[in-house]
Coordinates of all heavy atoms in Angstrom, one line a residue:
G25 N 10.3 19.2 3.9 CA 11.1 18.0 3.6 C 11.7 17.4 4.8 O 11.9 18.0 5.8
D26 N 12.1 16.1 4.7 CA 12.7 15.4 5.8 C 14.1 16.1 6.1 O 14.4 16.1 7.3 CB 12.9 13.9 5.4 CG 11.6 13.2 5.4 OD1 10.6 13.6 6.1 OD2 11.5 12.2 4.6
E27 N 14.9 16.5 5.2 CA 16.2 17.1 5.5 C 16.0 18.4 6.3 O 16.7 18.6 7.3 CB 16.9 17.4 4.2 CG 17.4 16.1 3.4 CD 18.2 16.5 2.2 OE1 18.5 17.7 2.1 OE2 18.6 15.5 1.5
E28 N 15.0 19.2 5.9 CA 14.8 20.4 6.6 C 14.3 20.2 8.0 O 14.7 20.8 9.0 CB 13.8 21.3 5.8 CG 14.3 21.9 4.5 CD 14.3 20.8 3.4 OE1 13.9 19.7 3.6 OE2 14.8 21.2 2.3
A29 N 13.4 19.2 8.2 CA 12.9 18.8 9.5 C 14.0 18.3 10.4 O 14.1 18.7 11.6 CB 11.8 17.8 9.4
C30 N 14.9 17.5 9.9 CA 16.0 17.0 10.7 C 16.9 18.1 11.1 O 17.4 18.1 12.2 CB 16.8 15.9 9.9 SG 15.9 14.4 9.6
A31 N 17.1 19.1 10.2 CA 18.0 20.2 10.5 C 17.4 21.0 11.7 O 18.1 21.5 12.6 CB 18.2 21.1 9.3
V32 N 16.1 21.2 11.7 CA 15.4 22.0 12.7 C 15.6 21.3 14.1 O 15.9 21.9 15.1 CB 14.0 22.3 12.4 CG1 13.3 22.9 13.6 CG2 13.9 23.2 11.2
L33 N 15.2 20.0 14.1 CA 15.3 19.2 15.3 C 16.7 19.1 15.8 O 17.0 19.2 17.0 CB 14.7 17.8 15.1 CG 13.3 17.7 14.7 CD1 12.8 16.3 14.5 CD2 12.4 18.4 15.7
L34 N 17.7 18.9 14.9 CA 19.1 18.8 15.3 C 19.6 20.1 16.0 O 20.2 20.1 17.0 CB 19.9 18.5 14.1 CG 21.4 18.3 14.3 CD1 21.7 17.1 15.2 CD2 22.1 18.1 13.0
E35 N 19.2 21.2 15.4 CA 19.6 22.5 16.0 C 19.0 22.7 17.4 O 19.7 23.2 18.3 CB 19.2 23.7 15.0 CG 19.6 25.0 15.5 CD 19.2 26.1 14.6 OE1 18.4 25.8 13.6 OE2 19.5 27.3 14.8
A36 N 17.8 22.3 17.6 CA 17.1 22.5 18.9 C 17.8 21.6 19.9 O 18.0 22.1 21.0 CB 15.7 22.1 18.7
V37 N 18.1 20.4 19.6 CA 18.7 19.5 20.6 C 20.2 19.9 20.9 O 20.6 19.9 22.1 CB 18.6 18.0 20.2 CG1 19.3 17.1 21.2 CG2 17.2 17.6 20.0
V38 N 20.9 20.3 19.9 CA 22.3 20.7 20.1 C 22.3 22.0 20.9 O 23.2 22.2 21.7 CB 23.0 20.9 18.7 CG1 24.4 21.6 18.9 CG2 23.2 19.6 18.0
G39 N 21.3 22.8 20.8 CA 21.2 24.0 21.6 C 21.1 23.7 23.1 O 21.3 24.6 23.9
L40 N 20.7 22.5 23.5 CA 20.7 22.1 24.9 C 22.0 21.7 25.5 O 22.1 21.5 26.6 CB 19.7 20.9 25.1 CG 18.2 21.2 24.7 CD1 17.4 19.9 24.9 CD2 17.6 22.3 25.6
G41 N 23.0 21.7 24.6 CA 24.4 21.3 25.0 C 24.7 19.9 24.7 O 25.7 19.4 25.2
V42 N 23.8 19.2 24.0 CA 24.1 17.8 23.7 C 24.7 17.8 22.3 O 24.2 18.2 21.3 CB 22.7 17.0 23.6 CG1 23.0 15.5 23.3 CG2 22.0 17.1 24.9
R43 N 26.0 17.2 22.3 CA 26.8 17.3 21.0 C 26.6 16.1 20.1 O 26.5 16.2 18.9 CB 28.2 17.4 21.4 CG 28.6 18.6 22.2 CD 28.1 19.9 21.6 NE 28.3 21.1 22.4 CZ 27.7 22.3 22.1 NH1 26.9 22.4 21.1 NH2 27.9 23.3 22.9
D44 N 26.5 14.9 20.7 CA 26.4 13.7 19.9 C 24.9 13.4 19.6 O 24.2 12.7 20.4 CB 27.1 12.5 20.6 CG 27.3 11.3 19.6 OD1 26.8 11.4 18.5 OD2 28.0 10.4 20.0
V45 N 24.4 13.9 18.5 CA 23.0 13.7 18.2 C 22.9 13.1 16.8 O 23.6 13.6 15.8 CB 22.2 15.0 18.2 CG1 20.7 14.8 17.9 CG2 22.4 15.8 19.5
R46 N 22.1 12.1 16.6 CA 22.0 11.4 15.3 C 20.6 11.1 15.0 O 19.8 10.7 15.9 CB 22.8 10.1 15.3 CG 24.2 10.3 15.8 CD 25.1 9.1 15.8 NE 26.3 9.3 16.5 CZ 27.5 8.6 16.3 NH1 27.5 7.7 15.4 NH2 28.5 8.9 17.0
L47 N 20.2 11.3 13.7 CA 18.8 11.1 13.3 C 18.7 10.2 12.1 O 19.6 10.1 11.3 CB 18.1 12.5 12.9 CG 18.0 13.5 14.0 CD1 19.2 14.5 14.0 CD2 16.7 14.3 13.9
G48 N 17.5 9.5 12.1 CA 17.2 8.6 10.9 C 15.8 8.8 10.6 O 14.9 8.9 11.4
V49 N 15.5 8.8 9.3 CA 14.1 8.9 8.8 C 13.9 7.7 7.8 O 14.8 7.5 6.9 CB 13.9 10.2 8.1 CG1 12.5 10.3 7.6 CG2 14.2 11.4 9.0
A50 N 12.8 7.1 7.9 CA 12.5 5.9 7.0 C 11.0 5.7 7.0 O 10.2 6.4 7.7 CB 13.2 4.7 7.5
D51 N 10.5 4.7 6.3 CA 9.1 4.4 6.2 C 8.6 3.7 7.5 O 7.3 3.7 7.7 CB 8.8 3.5 5.0 CG 9.1 4.2 3.7 OD1 9.1 5.4 3.7 OD2 9.4 3.5 2.7
D52 N 9.4 3.1 8.3 CA 9.0 2.4 9.5 C 9.9 2.6 10.6 O 11.0 3.2 10.5 CB 8.8 0.9 9.2 CG 10.1 0.3 8.9 OD1 10.5 0.3 7.7 OD2 10.8 -0.2 9.8
L53 N 9.5 2.2 11.8 CA 10.3 2.5 13.0 C 11.6 1.7 13.1 O 12.7 2.3 13.4 CB 9.4 2.1 14.3 CG 10.1 2.3 15.6 CD1 10.6 3.7 15.9 CD2 9.1 1.9 16.8
F54 N 11.6 0.5 12.7 CA 12.8 -0.3 12.8 C 13.9 0.2 11.8 O 15.1 0.4 12.2 CB 12.5 -1.8 12.5 CG 13.8 -2.7 12.4 CD1 14.5 -3.0 13.5 CD2 14.2 -3.1 11.1 CE1 15.6 -3.8 13.4 CE2 15.3 -3.9 11.0 CZ 16.0 -4.3 12.2
T55 N 13.5 0.5 10.6 CA 14.5 1.1 9.7 C 15.0 2.4 10.1 O 16.2 2.7 9.9 CB 13.8 1.1 8.3 OG1 13.2 -0.1 7.9 CG2 14.8 1.5 7.2
A56 N 14.1 3.3 10.6 CA 14.5 4.6 11.0 C 15.5 4.5 12.2 O 16.5 5.3 12.2 CB 13.3 5.4 11.5
E57 N 15.4 3.5 13.1 CA 16.3 3.4 14.2 C 17.7 3.0 13.6 O 18.7 3.5 14.0 CB 15.8 2.4 15.2 CG 16.8 2.2 16.4 CD 16.4 1.2 17.4 OE1 15.2 0.8 17.3 OE2 17.2 0.9 18.3
Q58 N 17.7 2.0 12.7 CA 18.9 1.5 12.1 C 19.6 2.7 11.3 O 20.8 2.8 11.3 CB 18.7 0.3 11.3 CG 18.1 -0.9 12.0 CD 18.8 -1.2 13.3 OE1 20.0 -1.2 13.3 NE2 18.0 -1.4 14.4

């Protein structure tokens, strides 16, 4: 699922020491960025 995928990616990037991480998932690129 998308929630599980976002949790995995979020944990990996935060593990690099980057604290401010935000994700978006949608049907297209523009909507996902917003």
Side-chain angles (χ1 to χ4, degrees):
D26 291 332
E27 292 185 5
E28 291 77 4
C30 290
V32 172
L33 299 180
L34 182 63
E35 181 181 6
V37 177
V38 172
L40 297 176
V42 183
R43 300 306 177 194
D44 195 352
V45 185
R46 312 181 188 206
L47 296 95
V49 182
D51 294 335
D52 63 272
L53 178 57
F54 174 73
T55 307
E57 179 180 354
Q58 302 310 315

